[in-house]
Amino acid sequence: MSTTAAGIASIGLQLPPLFMPVTELAELRGVDPNKYTKGLGCVDIALCPAGHDAVSLAVGAAKRALSRWNGSAEDIGLVAVGTESSKDMSRPLSAWIAEELGLSGAIRSYEVKHACYGGTLALRQALEWKWSGAGAGKAALVIASDVALYSLGDPGEPTQGAGAVAMIIDQPTLASVVPTAFPFSSPAFDFWRPVGDSFPSVDGKLSLDCYKRAVMECFGSLIGDRDAHEVLSGYRWLCFHVPFPKMVKKAVIHLGEQLGWSTQEAERLYLAKVEDTLEWNQLTGNAYTASLWISVARALVGLEEGTAITAFSYGSGYGAELLQLAAGPAAASASWVSDVEEDLRVRKPVDMWGYETLRGDVRASA
Ligand code: HMG
């Protein structure tokens, strides 16, 4: 079967209008701020006030992606939304989003769930739909959107965040994606949210081990029998799902160990190819399905056509997949940077009292 040229034609991002520095949360929780900043590598938590949620974030990101694309709403044949911030067990989040965007008609519209991996699965399905020819010349709108909140005082609280990334899958003007990818899954209860629960349950230590194993397995499949240094030198950036920035560093060091490298060698890899990709994630916190794609959007900025990067997706439960992308001719223009700059410029800080109001009465629940 011949494959149609398809890739990412447009990217739009939307960050929430509020944020709280993790140092403020540390003061509220009576924790040494270094635990959150140095121990977890976090900087800010992006927060949604009342009236903002995964739908409004998704709609904002999608409008921005659509506004910079040379097609129109009539050219969209698929809307796939990866999220773990669902509103309903039946009605897909895509229905709320499509309604706001005025998208209806001959469109396949649905929601994809696999924890933080859901956005990547939505992207893969859209690409496979295009590559197979099933899209019949239509484009896809893929959105990863989440609001990540833990229960008050949970160890995951400093890693909270929110954000959305929308991508139009059509001509690969911003990036092409290599059809061959490297998945790995192994059922586990590392992070889960039972039906009816507002916040996730987490086995923190297990989740770190699952993530590290998935990185090792996926990169192991990519590298195969080849020399790891040589393989990895072919990619300008290595992007990761970012539950909190230190997780990514831990995983890279672990990968180095498994490859028989010294810690210094793995640290050099991290500094050269990973650290800069986390810049926007540190300011949003964990945006679940959107986290990896925030990192990819940062990594694509200004890249010359043909420059290769990797994207490691992880979703608790757990499933992971390593993708390879190459920058397209329009990546150098980095038009989507203005979304992030604008949202960071206008967003307002929340202090610990504002956070208490936002989350409900902390003291009453303590
Ligand atoms: P914790 O257990 O409270 O933290 O929460 P800790 O005691 O392990 O400390 C964290 C680090 O801070 C440690 O560093 C400490 O030493 C250090 P490490 O030893 O690991 O290198 N530390 C300090 N450093 C400097 N000064 C200090 C200080 N005190 C301590 N004073 C945990 C950590 C990750 C468990 C928690 O944040 C959590 O539960 N997070 C949520 C789960 C998570 O993010 N897991 C990551 C992998 S799973 C994933 O990525 C999927 C996910 O995105 C969900 C999805 O797929 O939908 C989460």
Side-chain angles (χ1 to χ4, degrees):
M1 191 188 294
S2 70
T3 58
T4 314
I8 303 172
S10 184
I11 296 177
L13 294 100
Q14 181 73 57
L15 309 185
L18 301 176
F19 75 101
M20 179 170 68
V22 290
T23 49
E24 195 76 29
L25 179 67
E27 197 179 338
L28 180 65
R29 297 283 169 250
V31 170
D32 180 346
N34 287 328
K35 175 173 179 183
Y36 296 169
T37 54
K38 295 195 167 66
L40 298 173
C42 301
V43 177
D44 291 333
I45 295 167
L47 291 165
C48 287
H52 289 248
D53 58 12
V55 171
S56 59
L57 290 171
V59 169
K63 282 184 176 165
R64 285 169 161 175
L66 288 163
S67 73
R68 289 192 285 265
W69 176 52
N70 59 11
S72 66
E74 291 75 54
D75 301 320
I76 302 282
L78 186 146
V79 177
V81 178
T83 190
E84 47 185 302
S85 308
S86 253
K87 281 172 174 281
D88 192 284
M89 287 295 289
S90 302
R91 193 177 198 253
L93 206 71
S94 65
W96 274 273
I97 296 163
E99 212 158 39
E100 295 242 4
L101 294 172
L103 290 172
S104 63
I107 298 175
R108 182 185 291 167
S109 164
Y110 61 98
E111 177 185 312
V112 181
K113 182 182 76 174
H114 190 318
C116 300
Y117 182 25
T120 304
L121 286 167
L123 176 82
R124 285 299 308 193
Q125 289 177 346
L127 284 165
E128 287 161 15
W129 174 79
K130 286 285 286 178
W131 289 333
S132 71
K138 294 270 186 166
L141 172 62
V142 171
I143 308 171
S145 183
D146 269 304
V147 176
L149 290 174
Y150 290 80
S151 55
L152 299 172
D154 186 281
E157 203 178 17
T159 73
Q160 293 174 146
V165 179
M167 291 172 275
I168 296 183
I169 305 308
D170 192 26
Q171 293 302 309
T173 48
L174 297 187
S176 57
V177 181
V178 176
T180 304
F182 304 95
F184 181 78
S185 64
S186 179
F189 272 97
D190 59 329
F191 169 108
W192 67 102
R193 181 155 71 87
V195 174
D197 283 10
S198 300
F199 304 113
S201 298
V202 188
D203 183 335
K205 166 134 185 20
L206 177 66
S207 77
L208 269 60
D209 291 344
C210 294
Y211 184 106
K212 288 194 281 189
R213 165 132 193 248
V215 166
M216 196 193 75
E217 296 287 351
C218 293
F219 275 87
S221 300
L222 167 72
I223 294 165
D225 296 336
R226 297 176 294 165
D227 176 72
H229 285 288
E230 212 169 289
V231 172
L232 297 179
S233 70
Y235 303 100
R236 174 60 193 93
W237 300 113
L238 308 177
C239 301
F240 289 82
H241 165 55
V242 191
F244 56 93
K246 201 63 177 291
M247 177 74 251
V248 177
K249 186 169 185 184
K250 279 174 183 295
V252 173
I253 304 291
H254 180 72
L255 175 65
E257 277 166 11
Q258 300 301 309
L259 293 169
W261 297 5
S262 66
T263 307
Q264 289 80 358
E265 274 179 298
E267 270 173 358
R268 273 201 296 278
L269 178 77
Y270 175 79
L271 287 175
K273 294 183 187 285
V274 183
E275 191 173 65
D276 288 357
T277 70
L278 307 178
E279 184 193 345
W280 292 347
N281 299 92
Q282 286 189 312
L283 303 174
T284 61
N286 189 359
Y288 289 160
T289 53
S291 273
L292 167 65
W293 299 100
I294 290 173
S295 168
V296 170
R298 175 66 189 83
L300 284 172
V301 171
L303 287 190
E304 251 180 60
E305 183 174 2
T307 309
I309 66 172
T310 61
F312 170 78
S313 187
Y314 178 87
S316 286
Y318 71 90
E321 189 158 338
L322 181 62
L323 310 186
Q324 305 164 83
L325 289 81
S333 70
S335 51
W336 59 95
V337 173
S338 58
D339 299 347
V340 176
E341 285 174 349
E342 173 64 7
D343 291 347
L344 292 178
R345 192 179 61 77
V346 301
R347 70 181 190 165
K348 303 260 183 310
V350 168
D351 62 14
M352 62 173 102
W353 312 116
Y355 177 71
E356 280 190 320
T357 308
L358 209 69
R359 293 293 312 263
D361 190 347
V362 179
R363 282 185 219 92
S365 67

